[in-house]
Amino acid sequence: MEVVSKNKSNKAIKPTAIKMSGADAVIRSLIDHGVDYIFGYPGGANMPIYDSVYNMSDEITHVLARHEQGAIHAAEGYARSSGRVGVVFATSGPGATNLITGIADAHLDSTPLVCITGQVNANLLGSDAFQETDVTGITSPITKWNYQLTKKEEIVEVIAKAFYIASTGRPGPVLIDISKDIQFEEIEYELKKHEYIRSYVPYPKLNIEELKEAAELINSAKKPMIIFGQGVILSGAEKQLKELVEKADIPAANTLLGISALDTDHPNAVGMVGMHGNYAPNVLTNSCDVLIAIGMRFDDRITGDLNQYAKQAKVIHFDIDKSEFHKNVKAEVTVLGDAKATLTNVLDYIEKNNHSDWKAEFDKLEAIEKEEIWDKILKPSEGKITMAEVVRDVSKMTDGEAVVVTDVGQHQMFASRYSLFKQTKSFISSGGLGTMGFGLPAAIGAKLGAPNREVVSFSGDGGFQMTMQEFGTIMEYGVTVKQVVLNNGYLGMVRQWQDLFFDKRYASTPMMSPEFGKIAEAYGIEYKKVEKREDLQAALQEMLDCDKSYLLEVAVQEELNVFPMVPGGAAVTEVRLK
């Protein structure tokens, strides 16, 4: 059974100036902003709002998570798969603080969220009342904007402002904290939508000179290289990226969150950069003469040692967030603006080119990586199943059309490296914050955001146990998620570092797990465990053919490490193949 959205048309309802409670105005505002799903958990300080959800349950669906962290990760998954704003509710105190990890996660990954928390009555603020927490103070550094509502007449306008800020420019999480007393009070409701805030310029005017300078550098480059990030997906610039790549014939590498913006099998796609990225784009970052960064932010997992990063290259940086320019890597040319707008316009100045000799250098290094790594872990002749085999088989069996959601750890890197993609918005993972426990709840939200797509979630045994209570959400709402637990009996990524840099001193990384089959049975979810390679494909097919949620546990090699790997603080050219 699938959850039925109550507001599938996503069309705003005609505004009506009528009297209603502050709580009703909150829900009416959400409906009028096209919200169909709310993820959340009720409590004392937001009970009036939940009462209004009950009143309007024929127009909007509330998904009761089993923990507020699960609720906000589900909202993130929904936003990432649908391209819309995710909405999450929590009560005051522990309800609000349980959202913090998810808010920080959304902040680092530029995920548009509107988080609405209940708060104690306004006259009790500052008195250390029961479940009072300064959530606006706590979330100030990790939200794009937050606001504490204590005046009923501000409710509709502030919610409108929240959606405008969360969804425009560089997206991000917004939090509104609403005191309980104004949820009861009567207001005059009239729909308001924000399209302007003084001093906030989400889409800056394009600078033609910047575009011409960028194009001139690209046209004159002998060894150009593109690194594209999630900014391409967020702005819907996949078509423009492809046109640039093909017209100028430039090798293009992706960041972790840029995955699926360009088809994996595109002839100019050269894989992923970064700590566990591919050999060729990492090494050749330090050989290119022009490095074109599009919608990415040069974080430390991408650059390694900044003192040895692309020093020979002239860097062109396309980004919508001016604060990213020169933050980590000095750029020769910066192009400020939405990726779709800037790429569309720069294409007018780009000349058709051919870089076959330069691309051949990527091919040579890719061949080395395949010989040293791919053949051994994708086609092993003996030993236990590898994570890479499972990921690649799922990808082939779904023809690269599935939405792949991951938790955080070794399986995340295997999924990012060996999945094949043919559609955008197909890889959902916690990038900047690296939040274990993200996977399962994000997969629930992803499925609700993209109900017609297959959603396959990969987790390790460690991360899965952090939020596996969200099986309760799946049970209650019948969300069809295919969950694969790659069980190696370790906190695998930490163990890998202990193996490589701490003389195999496995401190607190071996881990026992419960019988996952019994957990699944308790929640009424189909389950199978695979231990032998010869049984793997049949088990995967059974999972994919199932029209309900499914948990497939795969016993994988215990001490297999993810390579290539750029050790922390090393140069990208020091990438290790073993």
Side-chain angles (χ1 to χ4, degrees):
M1 182 183 75
E2 294 286 352
V3 178
V4 177
S5 167
K6 306 292 173 51
N7 192 17
K8 282 198 176 295
S9 67
N10 196 26
K11 292 180 180 176
I13 295 171
K14 187 177 180 180
T16 50
I18 57 174
K19 290 183 178 180
M20 61 178 69
S21 71
D24 279 351
V26 171
I27 303 304
R28 177 53 58 196
S29 292
L30 297 182
I31 293 169
D32 285 354
H33 281 87
V35 175
D36 50 7
Y37 288 108
I38 303 163
F39 303 88
Y41 208 97
N46 63 2
M47 285 182 66
I49 291 175
Y50 270 86
D51 195 56
S52 298
V53 171
Y54 188 81
N55 284 339
M56 296 182 226
S57 58
D58 59 336
E59 298 179 72
I60 197 164
T61 301
H62 179 268
V63 178
L64 176 66
R66 272 28 182 188
H67 190 284
E68 289 87 352
Q69 185 178 350
I72 193 165
H73 290 329
E76 289 181 274
Y78 172 89
R80 298 268 292 275
S81 72
S82 70
R84 297 167 63 185
V85 177
V87 177
V88 62
F89 283 179
T91 190
S92 62
T97 56
N98 282 341
L99 295 181
I100 300 304
T101 297
I103 294 172
D105 194 276
H107 182 63
L108 278 170
D109 286 352
S110 302
T111 304
L113 296 183
V114 171
C115 311
I116 297 179
T117 52
Q119 184 55 277
V120 301
N121 289 344
N123 66 329
L124 295 176
L125 287 168
S127 70
D128 293 335
F130 177 67
Q131 293 192 332
E132 182 194 0
T133 299
D134 179 10
V135 68
T136 52
I138 292 170
T139 59
S140 286
I142 54 172
T143 50
K144 196 173 173 186
W145 180 65
N146 69 18
Y147 194 82
Q148 186 172 70
L149 270 171
T150 57
K151 297 178 181 175
K152 63 180 183 180
E153 58 270 21
E154 291 184 333
I155 290 175
V156 180
E157 183 178 357
V158 166
I159 289 177
K161 192 173 179 181
F163 275 89
Y164 180 59
I165 293 174
S167 62
T168 54
R170 181 177 181 171
V174 167
L175 182 136
I176 306 169
D177 192 39
I178 308 178
S179 65
K180 187 174 181 178
D181 50 329
I182 66 167
Q183 298 172 33
F184 289 110
E185 294 178 7
E186 188 175 79
I187 69 166
E188 190 84 18
Y189 177 83
E190 185 175 355
L191 173 64
K192 293 182 180 177
K193 288 204 172 184
H194 257 282
E195 295 181 347
Y196 171 76
I197 297 173
R198 187 170 61 88
S199 79
Y200 174 60
V201 186
Y203 302 107
K205 185 179 178 181
L206 297 185
N207 184 322
I208 299 301
E209 291 307 311
E210 289 180 348
L211 293 168
K212 288 180 177 177
E213 285 182 51
E216 187 176 336
L217 269 183
I218 293 170
N219 291 335
S220 62
K222 303 300 182 188
K223 295 182 175 182
M225 174 176 163
I226 288 174
I227 300 178
F228 60 91
Q230 190 186 205
V232 172
I233 297 172
L234 291 169
S235 68
E238 295 89 344
K239 177 174 174 285
Q240 289 74 17
L241 171 68
K242 185 168 179 280
E243 286 181 17
L244 173 62
V245 164
E246 292 177 349
K247 188 173 184 181
D249 194 26
I250 303 175
N254 56 266
T255 66
L256 181 69
L257 296 189
I259 289 175
S260 83
L262 186 69
D263 289 358
T264 317
D265 63 357
H266 190 283
N268 288 59
V270 294
M272 185 169 71
V273 289
M275 181 170 280
H276 290 291
N278 293 94
Y279 188 53
N282 270 320
V283 169
L284 295 177
T285 294
N286 279 6
S287 296
C288 66
D289 59 356
V290 173
L291 182 61
I292 306 148
I294 305 172
M296 56 84 70
R297 58 188 178 87
F298 290 115
D299 72 284
D300 63 305
R301 290 289 168 125
I302 297 295
T303 65
D305 182 5
L306 278 169
N307 293 320
Q308 301 181 70
Y309 183 79
K311 291 300 181 185
Q312 81 295 336
K314 292 179 178 177
V315 176
I316 305 170
H317 197 169
F318 291 79
D319 207 284
I320 196 166
D321 186 348
K322 193 175 183 179
S323 71
E324 293 295 345
F325 294 150
H326 315 301
K327 186 173 79 176
N328 296 322
V329 172
K330 178 74 175 174
E332 187 86 6
V333 176
T334 60
V335 182
L336 181 64
D338 172 78
K340 187 173 184 177
T342 54
L343 292 184
T344 297
N345 284 276
V346 82
L347 277 165
D348 292 340
Y349 305 103
I350 296 295
E351 298 168 358
K352 191 170 177 58
N353 216 326
N354 183 304
H355 294 291
S356 298
D357 291 344
W358 168 231
K359 289 194 298 182
E361 293 188 38
F362 286 83
D363 295 339
K364 289 177 186 174
L365 296 185
E366 182 180 292
I368 293 172
E369 179 181 334
K370 286 185 172 178
E371 183 178 351
E372 291 287 329
I373 298 174
W374 288 40
D375 294 343
K376 295 172 185 173
I377 62 171
L378 288 175
K379 301 174 183 175
S381 56
E382 58 184 14
K384 283 190 170 183
I385 300 167
T386 68
M387 292 188 187
E389 286 178 275
V390 183
V391 166
R392 180 52 66 94
D393 281 351
V394 167
S395 208
K396 287 181 176 178
M397 295 166 84
T398 56
D399 197 26
E401 301 282 355
V403 177
V404 173
V405 182
T406 81
D407 213 275
V408 167
Q410 285 186 311
H411 70 278
Q412 176 192 31
M413 293 299 116
F414 281 116
S416 65
R417 289 178 47 77
Y418 298 107
S419 293
L420 308 170
F421 295 103
K422 292 182 178 177
Q423 280 195 55
T424 187
K425 298 187 180 74
S426 291
F427 185 76
I428 298 174
S429 189
S430 172
L433 198 63
T435 305
M436 287 181 68
F438 175 87
L440 178 60
I444 294 170
K447 182 63 179 177
L448 294 176
N452 296 321
R453 299 188 66 187
E454 183 83 85
V455 174
V456 181
S457 177
F458 292 98
S459 295
D461 42 314
F464 179 66
Q465 291 186 67
M466 284 193 170
T467 51
M468 65 181 179
Q469 79 281 352
E470 298 306 333
F471 267 174
T473 308
I474 287 175
M475 177 180 67
E476 183 162 350
Y477 297 93
V479 187
T480 306
V481 169
K482 309 298 170 61
Q483 174 66 53
V484 180
V485 172
L486 300 169
N487 190 346
N488 61 5
Y490 282 99
L491 298 174
M493 189 58 86
V494 183
R495 184 209 55 74
Q496 175 168 337
W497 281 61
Q498 291 171 333
D499 177 4
L500 298 174
F501 309 114
F502 291 85
D503 299 325
K504 288 184 179 288
R505 291 161 60 84
Y506 293 162
S508 300
T509 46
M511 170 178 266
M512 292 180 64
S513 292
E515 291 188 39
F516 290 126
K518 290 185 176 179
I519 300 283
E521 182 183 8
Y523 286 104
I525 292 172
E526 301 287 329
Y527 167 84
K528 179 166 277 189
K529 181 174 182 178
V530 178
E531 298 181 87
K532 296 179 181 177
R533 179 166 293 108
E534 55 266 33
D535 298 330
L536 178 61
Q537 291 212 357
L540 290 172
Q541 194 62 60
E542 181 178 316
M543 175 188 76
L544 294 171
D545 288 344
C546 183
D547 61 0
K548 300 176 182 175
S549 285
Y550 199 105
L551 171 61
L552 180 66
E553 179 184 0
V554 184
V556 296
Q557 289 189 23
E558 290 88 352
E559 298 187 46
L560 183 66
N561 291 338
V562 189
F563 289 106
M565 178 180 183
V566 180
V572 290
T573 47
E574 297 176 83
V575 56
R576 293 174 55 171
L577 291 172
K578 57 186 176 183

